[in-house]
Structures are given as structure tokens and as C-alpha cells.
């Protein structure tokens, strides 16, 4: 009997578990470690914030998925690896031994280099904390809609833009018209234009949409400090001298990795992400695999985007099976360009691929909705 341990309930692991459920491997004991019971599907998160999906529709319940794969499920947080003894160290249980280990724990926005960000900002990941803070703010707005409030988003990539548009659209939907102007929306970005890694068309189109909807864009602004202004309000300071008082600050910047990965002795890049080869296998420890945001392909680094985690699911499953059976591994080849559908929060989306873009169109959102629902049904069928 060999022990396969999966750390994290990310998209790749969800797909791998579904494949193990369909094609069980004899002589293998599978253990899943995740600090959440229900993992959010990143493709549906903006739609959930905008009010298009329920919590259950936008989350994968890991317990029935683990049961289908005949996997032991531990709801706990991995905090270290003992690579001498081949053990995973967790926060609340004894060490868990492994023969083969796979890591798919996603990433978190980098905040530690900005004073006050780790204390006062709401990071986009881990998503459960983001959703908890969002629901709390939503309830406060409903209880006293006449109060003047200000929301800030730091980060002008697709995640920050879509989060801001989705939150504004949701609040406009639930507030009476006379109260909608009581909330100000601000987006801070260090570059001269938003969506720097997407097509110019998408950047121009979404800039115009945000401006038309009254969202204040602060471009070429580097946030240098967050601090408490009053018992209820925060202060955001920029390198330029710009200062803003606000009630909530969402942090959607470049991804970061937890320190315990590099401390374990795994080969990582300069940002702490696990370096893997074209088999999704650690370049330093051949019995360890990694996928999704937490992994960096050594010879072909790609953006930290959910589309890659989804595409890595089946190759990861195949290579875990092959490694367990001492068979040659297969290669994973990521696409060089990928389609991004950025929702406006109003039932429309803008498409961006390479240098090209179209939208906003309702049909694009309908297509995105169909793709996302189809994925969720394949991973966690209802009924």
C-alpha cells in the first residue's frame, strides 16, 4: 500500500480526485488535506460577488468529492514538510506520512512589503476571508444605507477590476436609487493603465466602463502604507503623496507563496513558488508534484491564472498514477495564449486573448456562465 497525499483543494486536485473516483488505482491510499471544506471556483467568484450565483453554485464541496475518490479527508492546515521522513506537518494533528505528495494550495496577494497591508487590507485570497469581509460590509450597507462610505481596491489586473465592478453592481442592485451615490469606489494601480497583461482593447474598454460608472481610477500610484485613521475608517497613503480615507481596502496584487514551502527545502523561485518540470514534478524532489498558482514551470513560466490550474488537472492525475506505478511520466504543455472573459458585474463580459479583444456583450457572459456551470457539474454533480 502506497500513500498519496494531496495538500490543498484547488482546481487541479479537484479534477484529480474526480478522475480517481472514475478510475480507482489499486494499492493506493489517498489523503486530502485542506483548511476549508468548500473550495471556491475562481471562475465563478466574480459572478458570486455580483449576485449571479449562490454560495453552493460557486463552491466545490470537498467532502463528497473525497468520498467518491475513497480518500481520507482532513480539514486542517499544512504548516511544514519533513522531507527527511516524508511527512506533512499540520496545525492540529500528528504528522501525515506520504510516498507521493502533491501540492495545490493556490497563492495569496503579496502584502508584507507594504506597512499596514497585512493588518488592514482584505486580501483577495484566501477567498473565504474575502467573502466573510464582503458579507459583513454588505450587511452594514443594508442596515444604514444613508451613511457615506468609500471602498478601495489595490491592484488593476483582471482580478482587481472584476472584483470592483462586481461589488459595485451588486450594491447598486440591492440599494434604493437614492442611496447608490453614498458609496465611492476607488481603484489604485501602479502602472499607467489597468489590465497591463491583457489586450489594449480590453484595457481601454474596461477603463471607459469604470469611468462611466463613477469608479475613480488612480493610475501610476504606488501604495506605500495603510493605517487606522479612526476607530472605523482606514487611511491609504501613496508614494505620490495622495491620501484616501476609506472603509474597506481590497488587496488584489501580485501573487505570493507561503514561507513554509521554501523553508522545507523544496526548490522554489525567488517568490517562493515551487519549481516544477514539464511533468508538474518538483525539480528537487521527484516524489513531490505541484500545480496551480503555487507551481512555476521552470522552463515555461505562465501567469497565475485559474485556466492553467484547470488544464493541469488531468495531466497531474495521469502523472500521479504513473509515478505510483513506476511508469514513465507524460509532459504537460501549457497554451501560450489563453482567452480571458472579464465580467462587468451587469451580465456582460469583455473578452481578451493576446492582442485582441471584443465586448462588452451579454453573449460573452452567457458563454462564460455555460463554461463555468459545465465545469462545476463535471467536478461535483448535483443529486
Amino acid at each position: 500500500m502506497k500513500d498519496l497525499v494531496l495538500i490543498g483543494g484547488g482546481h487541479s486536485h479537484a479534477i484529480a480526485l474526480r478522475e480517481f473516483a472514475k478510475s480507482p488505482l489499486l494499492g493506493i491510499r489517498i489523503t486530502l488535506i485542506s483548511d476549508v471544506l468548500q473550495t471556491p471556483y475562481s471562475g465563478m467568484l466574480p459572478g458570486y460577488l455580483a449576485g449571479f450565483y449562490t454560495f453552493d453554485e460557486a463552491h466545490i464541496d470537498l467532502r463528497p468529492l473525497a468520498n467518491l475518490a475513497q480518500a481520507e479527508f482532513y480539514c486542517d492546515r499544512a504548516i511544514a514538510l519533513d522531507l527527511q521522513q516524508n511527512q506533512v506537518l499540520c496545525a492540529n494533528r500528528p504528522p501525515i506520512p506520504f510516498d507521493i505528495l502533491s501540492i495545490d494550495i493556490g497563492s495569496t496577494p503579496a502584502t508584507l512589503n507594504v506597512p499596514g497591508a497585512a493588518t488592514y487590507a482584505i486580501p483577495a485570497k484566501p477567498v473565504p476571508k474575502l467573502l466573510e469581509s464582503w458579507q459583513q460590509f454588505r450587511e452594514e450597507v443594508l442596515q444604514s444605507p444613508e451613511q457615506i462610505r468609500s471602498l478601495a481596491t489595490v491592484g488593476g489586473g483582471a482580478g482587481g477590476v472584476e472584483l470592483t465592478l462586481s461589488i459595485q453592481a451588486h450594491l447598486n442592485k440591492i440599494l434604493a436609487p437614492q442611496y447608490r451615490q453614498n458609496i465611492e469606489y476607488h481603484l489604485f494601480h501602479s502602472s499607467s493603465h489597468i489590465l497591463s497583461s491583457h489586450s489594449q482593447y480590453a484595457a481601454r474598454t474596461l477603463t471607459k466602463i469604470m469611468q462611466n460608472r463613477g469608479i475613480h481610477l488612480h493610475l501610476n500610484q504606488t501604495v506605500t502604507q495603510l493605517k487606522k485613521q479612526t476607530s472605523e475608517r482606514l487611511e491609504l497613503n501613496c508614494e505620490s503623496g495622495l491620501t484616501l480615507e476609506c472603509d474597506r481596502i481590497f488587496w488584489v496584487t501580485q501573487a505570493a507563496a507561503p514561507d513554509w514551502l521554501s523553508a522545507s527545502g523544496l526548490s522554489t523561485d525567488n517568490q517562493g513558488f515551487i519549481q516544477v518540470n514539464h511533468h508538474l514534478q518538483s525539480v528537487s524532489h521527484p516524489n513531490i508534484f505541484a500545480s496551480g498558482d503555487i507551481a512555476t514551470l521552470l522552463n515555461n513560466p505562465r501567469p497565475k491564472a485559474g485556466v492553467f490550474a484547470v488544464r493541469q488537472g488531468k495531466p497531474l492525475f495521469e502523472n500521479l498514477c504513473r509515478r505510483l506505478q513506476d511508469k514513465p511520466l507524460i509532459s504537460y504543455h501549457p497554451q501560450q495564449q489563453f482567452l480571458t472573459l472579464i465580467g462587468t458585474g451587469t451580465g456582460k463580459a469583455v473578452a481578451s486573448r493576446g492582442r485582441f479583444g471584443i465586448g462588452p456583450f451579454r453573449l460573452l457572459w452567457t458563454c462564460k456562465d455555460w463554461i463555468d456551470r459545465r465545469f462545476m457539474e463535471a467536478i461535483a454533480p448535483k443529486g
Side-chain angles (χ1 to χ4, degrees):
M1 183 71 72
K2 291 184 178 180
D3 282 299
L4 168 64
V5 175
L6 311 178
I7 303 178
H11 301 353
S12 299
H13 277 178
I15 293 169
L17 286 168
R18 187 63 179 160
E19 292 300 311
F20 275 115
K22 292 191 291 186
S23 305
L25 200 60
L26 295 177
I28 305 301
R29 183 166 45 224
I30 304 174
T31 301
L32 171 65
I33 305 168
S34 172
D35 59 352
V36 296
L37 297 173
Q38 294 166 302
T39 187
Y41 173 46
S42 61
M44 282 181 155
L45 180 59
Y48 173 69
L49 292 173
F52 290 114
Y53 304 118
T54 65
F55 182 91
D56 288 342
E57 287 174 330
H59 285 74
I60 301 168
D61 193 335
L62 295 175
R63 292 164 294 187
L65 190 57
N67 287 336
L68 283 172
Q70 300 181 47
E72 188 77 30
F73 178 46
Y74 295 140
C75 188
D76 205 341
R77 181 170 54 91
I79 57 173
L81 298 177
D82 180 348
L83 298 182
Q84 299 298 318
Q85 301 295 324
N86 278 356
Q87 293 180 334
V88 180
L89 308 184
C90 295
N92 302 301
R93 66 177 60 248
I96 299 171
F98 64 85
D99 294 295
I100 304 297
L101 177 67
S102 183
I103 304 172
D104 180 20
I105 56 174
S107 61
T108 58
T111 60
L112 297 180
N113 59 335
V114 177
T119 304
Y120 300 117
I122 302 167
K125 296 178 181 180
V127 173
K129 291 185 178 179
L130 166 68
L131 298 184
E132 181 182 351
S133 299
W134 155 241
Q135 291 297 341
Q136 182 185 24
F137 181 76
R138 181 181 180 278
E139 292 305 314
E140 290 175 8
V141 170
L142 287 175
Q143 288 173 12
S144 52
E146 72 286 349
Q147 184 175 328
I148 304 298
R149 293 179 171 87
S150 180
L151 288 179
T153 301
V154 179
V161 169
E162 205 166 13
L163 181 142
T164 305
L165 289 169
S166 298
I167 285 178
Q168 186 200 45
H170 186 103
L171 292 177
N172 283 349
K173 195 183 304 179
I174 63 175
L175 286 173
Q178 67 268 29
Y179 296 129
R180 292 171 186 168
Q181 298 304 314
N182 291 348
I183 304 177
E184 280 191 351
Y185 302 87
H186 299 261
L187 185 139
F188 291 81
H189 191 47
S190 57
S191 298
S192 59
H193 58 275
I194 62 172
L195 300 170
S196 307
S197 61
H198 294 271
S199 66
Q200 290 185 9
Y201 176 89
R204 289 195 305 267
T205 301
L206 285 157
T207 295
K208 186 175 180 180
I209 289 172
M210 297 184 89
Q211 290 172 338
N212 290 342
R213 285 168 53 170
I215 297 171
H216 303 278
L217 297 180
H218 305 281
L219 304 177
N220 290 317
Q221 295 289 350
T222 300
V223 178
T224 56
Q225 184 181 26
L226 305 184
K227 59 185 179 181
K228 201 81 168 175
Q229 176 70 339
T230 67
S231 59
E232 296 182 352
R233 303 211 85 194
L234 303 171
E235 183 180 293
L236 181 152
N237 298 321
C238 294
E239 192 174 58
S240 66
L242 175 64
T243 298
L244 175 72
E245 284 188 28
C246 42
D247 296 271
R248 296 289 194 282
I249 302 171
F250 296 100
W251 203 269
V252 198
T253 60
Q254 290 183 335
D259 294 335
W260 61 266
L261 290 174
S262 55
S264 70
L266 281 173
S267 178
T268 58
D269 63 15
N270 56 12
Q271 295 174 299
F273 296 106
I274 302 169
Q275 292 183 314
V276 297
N277 58 24
H278 58 283
H279 303 309
L280 301 175
Q281 179 185 41
S282 166
V283 298
S284 60
H285 294 77
N287 64 328
I288 296 178
F289 293 77
S291 57
D293 282 4
I294 205 61
T296 294
L297 285 165
L298 186 61
N299 297 319
N300 194 3
R302 308 301 298 136
K304 302 298 182 184
V307 62
F308 294 107
V310 170
R311 294 290 181 90
Q312 289 167 0
K314 288 190 176 181
L316 174 68
F317 163 75
E318 182 69 25
N319 278 337
L320 290 175
C321 292
R322 287 173 173 266
R323 181 70 186 179
L324 287 162
Q325 300 174 96
D326 298 319
K327 293 181 179 180
L329 304 182
I330 64 169
S331 295
Y332 161 71
H333 300 287
Q335 66 265 49
Q336 296 305 306
Q337 292 187 346
F338 59 99
L339 176 67
T340 301
L341 295 171
I342 304 169
T344 64
T346 57
K348 296 181 181 180
V350 175
S352 177
R353 178 182 170 87
R355 296 181 293 109
F356 304 100
I358 57 172
F361 298 135
R362 195 166 296 278
L363 179 61
L364 289 173
W365 176 261
T366 301
C367 290
K368 174 176 167 54
D369 175 72
W370 181 82
I371 293 169
D372 291 338
R373 289 183 185 274
R374 188 173 174 224
F375 170 80
M376 291 293 284
E377 180 62 27
I379 293 299
K382 304 293 186 291

